[in-house]
Amino acid sequence: MARDPESIQSEIEKTRDALADSLDALTDRANPKRFVDSGKAQAKQKLEDPRIRYALIGVGVILAAAILKKLFS
């Protein structure tokens, strides 16, 4: 059964619009800035955990003490 050209054209336009929407969504998801922002947010959230914060402070103090000892020995 033959289809009329207007119906075919309408389907092509709908498919084109759907493809454009899909490409826009993929472009948004693959945006490097989004990955950077997400990584920053995750790092900030982890640093807000007192266990991690105090552990990093402890490591910093130990490193500073080791450097000072090396400089003044």
Side-chain angles (χ1 to χ4, degrees), residues 44-65:
K44 190 174 186 178
Q45 182 181 12
K46 293 218 186 266
L47 288 175
E48 289 174 355
D49 182 1
R51 295 176 294 173
I52 293 175
R53 181 183 299 169
Y54 295 136
L56 289 175
I57 290 171
V59 168
V61 168
I62 291 170
L63 286 175

Side-chain angles (χ1 to χ4, degrees), residues 62-73:
I62 291 170
L63 286 175
I67 291 171
L68 289 174
K69 182 178 179 185
K70 187 78 170 172
L71 287 174
F72 294 112
S73 294

